[in-house]
Amino acid sequence: MSAMDAHHFTKTLGLLVILYSAVIAKDDDGWLMKAPTEVRAMEGYPVVLPCSFSHPHHTHPSSMHVSWTLGHGRAATVLFRCTSLNNSQLCQSRPSQDQRYRLEGNHRNHDVSLRINSVTLNDNGRYYCRVEIPRHPHTSFENTLGTRLRVEAAPRILSLSAEGTEAGFKAVCHVQGSPLPDIQWIEPDGVQEGESSFPLSQDGTGQYRTSSQLLDVKPGRQYICTASNSLGKDQATLYLLPPSPERLTAKSSFSLLVLLLALALGIKLLLALGVGAWVIKRRFSIRASSVEH
């Protein structure tokens, strides 16, 4: 295959991928809307959700409303809405509009793509674009299948802590990432596996948070929680301090004091029993002497 053929093949393949990933919605009234079924983005970066349309009207409408929602139906959340009046090139949004969202395309060119700045894992979901033309029959159309936004993120350890009492400790590690990270525990004896290391929970929304705990954590040792997925790795170290000498001395002194008090009470009890026995014996001796006389 020549370089020119390879270049042509690459362009064709790229076009096929784009056409395959896009869905064209069309109705009997002549509306047509094109949007991809899925868009992937990286946490912290901007992303554009493409959406273009055509309508059955011979002339371009002088006014239109554009809206984007997260979710569909009654549970939908309106994220962006703007209005263009009197052939204006500007689609004006409300003053209270969240500035993370803005129209990326030119609505006069039938492009109503949405830009989201600094996406987060909470932006995962299905988005729907909608166009309305006032004062016309069959005035609105929406991409009913929506576009799934899938935000990916490298692992991040949210917290690492120890819980319990001196009778027994456990280490708990909370992480997030997409794809959902794998968690491992590393201690001086090597990677910890088995029953002492198991997940606590997974976040049901988006499936990007999980937790794991390590049982039987010993004071004076170092434990490392590692989280990894296809985008990277994160780790945090936990060192559980052993009891301080002061606490040990205080505890020993307290134990010795309790022992001395118990010993003193025991001696007093023995003396009381001895004195009681001597008094009883003395009384019996006096009675016996009186009876003889």
Side-chain angles (χ1 to χ4, degrees), residues 1-10:
M1 181 183 293
S2 65
M4 182 175 295
D5 292 337
H7 179 67
H8 177 71
F9 175 76
T10 303

Side-chain angles (χ1 to χ4, degrees), residues 81-155:
R81 182 177 176 86
C82 67
T83 300
S84 176
L85 301 174
N86 303 322
N87 293 310
S88 172
Q89 294 295 321
L90 178 65
C91 195
Q92 186 67 45
S93 58
R94 297 167 296 180
S96 60
Q97 173 64 52
D98 187 341
Q99 296 305 305
R100 280 210 312 137
Y101 307 97
R102 68 178 176 84
L103 204 62
E104 180 74 6
N106 186 340
H107 61 289
R108 290 298 169 188
N109 293 331
H110 299 169
D111 185 353
V112 291
S113 301
L114 180 71
R115 177 188 176 97
I116 307 176
N117 290 317
S118 301
V119 295
T120 70
L121 289 170
N122 291 325
D123 292 319
N124 277 293
R126 192 168 294 277
Y127 292 74
Y128 299 82
C129 63
R130 181 181 180 88
V131 176
E132 302 174 27
I133 300 177
R135 297 184 297 277
H136 281 79
H138 309 290
T139 60
S140 65
F141 193 65
E142 182 181 54
N143 65 330
T144 54
L145 295 178
T147 297
R148 171 67 186 272
L149 175 60
R150 192 180 299 274
V151 181
E152 298 182 339

Side-chain angles (χ1 to χ4, degrees), residues 161-163 165-166 169 217-223 237-245 247-248:
S161 60
E163 300 176 0
T165 64
E166 291 184 1
F169 290 94
V217 173
K218 305 295 185 183
R221 302 188 71 178
Q222 177 177 285
Y223 299 89
T237 301
L238 173 69
Y239 181 78
L240 193 61
L241 291 174
S244 62
R247 289 188 61 187
L248 290 175

